[in-house]
Amino acid sequence: MGYPDQRFDVNLSILFTELPLLERPAAAAAAGFTAVELWWPWIETPTPPQAELNALKKALDDAGTQLVGLNFYAGQLPGPDRGALSVPGEESDRFRANIEVAADFAASVGCTALNALYGNRVEGADPQVQDALALENLVLAARAADRVGAILLVETLNKPESPLYPLVSAPAAIEVIDKVNAATGLGNAKFLLDLYHLSMSGEDLSQVIKAYAAKTGHVQIADNPGRGAPGTGTLPLERLLDELKDAGYTGRVGLEYKPGDRPSADSFDWLPVSARAAR
């Protein structure tokens, strides 16, 4: 048990950001990792030129890295936005324009998990209208994911850092996931269980793991406080990941932490090199 027994991947949208996007897969590979994940890299557009999609695929292939998770278009992230799919008007339209683009790119690189960030509450918009729009868009996303053999992930964030995001508890995300699965009949909507966000929200992490491991499609970690590497804060991450495994979770664990003042490559000293390659 312990860290060497897990299946880790590196989030290239928060680690190795000192490098241009197309150089990050090789940097992750040089650090010993062969699985990576990404937020939607083109924050300005849901429909980037095919040449840019091809260039990212080539960078992943050349580095020998497998993309195991990709966000749908989510607006300005990092930045003020927390997704687009529940935001009426132009942002919802952008999300819809992105669905097939993201699914097709995932299919081209063998990525089997697509994450759909819910989006913030909008001043003047009826929350019920936003939630109805969200369900419509998540159903479309779940069907597109299913078309390419992928799962759809729905993520909980935390209220202190994302005060306008409505899904700031595990039960809130699970309720949405259950509604999507009921609407599609596909069963491919799953929970993205982020131990950092859940801890920031004050949830009982062991209880969340027991309750929802069976509905979890992906896990992400960072320590708390600080959102740094494991060991920089006080979360018992090694024990919690063991609990997840004991509860039947066999998927990947995304490293979604800030490297601090050091180069990203120097932030993995907590994990033996022999435990970094995908298994």
Side-chain angles (χ1 to χ4, degrees), residues 54-111:
N54 293 344
L56 178 56
K57 180 184 188 309
K58 184 175 188 302
L60 291 163
D61 290 345
D62 288 352
T65 48
Q66 174 65 52
L67 187 69
V68 298
L70 176 67
N71 283 17
F72 286 105
Y73 170 80
Q76 300 287 316
L77 184 77
D81 298 332
R82 296 290 185 271
L85 64 91
S86 69
V87 180
E90 191 177 315
E91 281 298 88
S92 169
D93 292 344
R94 283 173 164 239
F95 178 82
R96 288 194 186 193
N98 175 248
I99 290 174
E100 299 300 336
V101 176
D104 286 345
F105 180 75
S108 78
V109 295
C111 174

Side-chain angles (χ1 to χ4, degrees), residues 247-259:
Y249 179 71
T250 58
R252 298 190 183 280
V253 177
L255 305 179
E256 198 185 53
Y257 63 75
K258 298 175 181 176

Side-chain angles (χ1 to χ4, degrees), residues 14 65 118 121 157 192-193 214 235 247 266:
I14 193 169
T65 48
Y118 201 81
R121 289 300 192 213
L157 301 182
L192 198 168
L193 193 158
L235 283 184
D266 295 340

